Amino acid sequence: MQCSGTLSYLFNNFVRDRSFNEVVAEAKNAGFTEPDPRDDLSGTDVARKVIILARESGLKLDLADLPLEGCASAEEFMEKLPQYDGDLAKERLEAENSGEVLRYVGVVDAVNQKGTVELRRYKKEHPFAQMAGSDNIIAFTTTRYKDHPLIVRGPGAGAQVTAGGIFSDMLRLASYLGAPS
């Protein structure tokens, strides 16, 4: 699953000769990142969603079961980010030369009872490679949907999505508190 609007935006715009650091700054200025960008870029946001889906699937996973890297502070993280531009540019070029794109994804492996969060390469024909903007996508591969996974796709970041979620939560809370419907 590619379930971070921020990471989707970053890897959809990390093209040609743009540096990863430049794309991150653009996303931060557009309001697509969490207030603390480490939550997005460390994979923590994706890992939380992997845990939710894993638990809904009956697996007993915790955030500690998914290895993630971290930095001491948001400032340190942003300062160190340009150090990764060269490695990420090389990885992007290798993927492009093979007809692939980079995507940061979360995987719930129900068979092996584990979850992962990682940067992967996908052929341009793959649904994950055809994302635009800050869209999210989840592919359900099951016994029934083995050859053609069930795909759920939609917006994952931005003011409208956030406002819609908050409004939905407020209506649910009002109903719970006994407001007339």
Side-chain angles (χ1 to χ4, degrees), residues 26 36 47 55 68 71 77 84 96 156 161 178 181:
E26 177 182 279
D36 183 347
R55 288 177 180 171
L68 300 171
C71 284
F77 186 87
Y84 299 101
E96 288 173 354
V161 173
S181 52

Side-chain angles (χ1 to χ4, degrees), residues 99-120:
E100 298 172 324
V101 297
L102 297 176
R103 295 294 184 255
Y104 197 87
V105 299
V107 177
V108 175
D109 182 346
V111 173
N112 295 308
Q113 299 190 3
K114 68 177 190 171
T116 57
V117 176
E118 61 193 2
L119 186 62
R120 286 188 175 180

Side-chain angles (χ1 to χ4, degrees), residues 141-153:
T141 305
T142 65
T143 304
R144 181 170 289 143
Y145 294 105
K146 185 175 183 184
D147 295 328
H148 301 286
L150 176 64
I151 304 290
V152 178
R153 177 179 174 175

Side-chain angles (χ1 to χ4, degrees), residues 1-9 11-12 45-46 49-50 53 101-108 116 120 122-141 148-157 161:
M1 78 180 108
Q2 187 174 345
C3 57
S4 165
T6 301
L7 290 170
S8 184
Y9 179 88
F11 284 98
N12 284 331
D45 184 45
V46 175
K49 294 168 185 170
V50 165
L53 283 177
V101 297
L102 297 176
R103 295 294 184 255
Y104 197 87
V105 299
V107 177
V108 175
T116 57
R120 286 188 175 180
Y122 290 94
K123 290 283 183 193
K124 292 189 178 186
E125 302 79 38
H126 191 279
F128 286 13
Q130 298 173 17
M131 301 298 294
S134 61
D135 279 357
N136 285 346
I137 188 168
I138 299 175
F140 294 94
T141 305
H148 301 286
L150 176 64
I151 304 290
V152 178
R153 177 179 174 175
V161 173

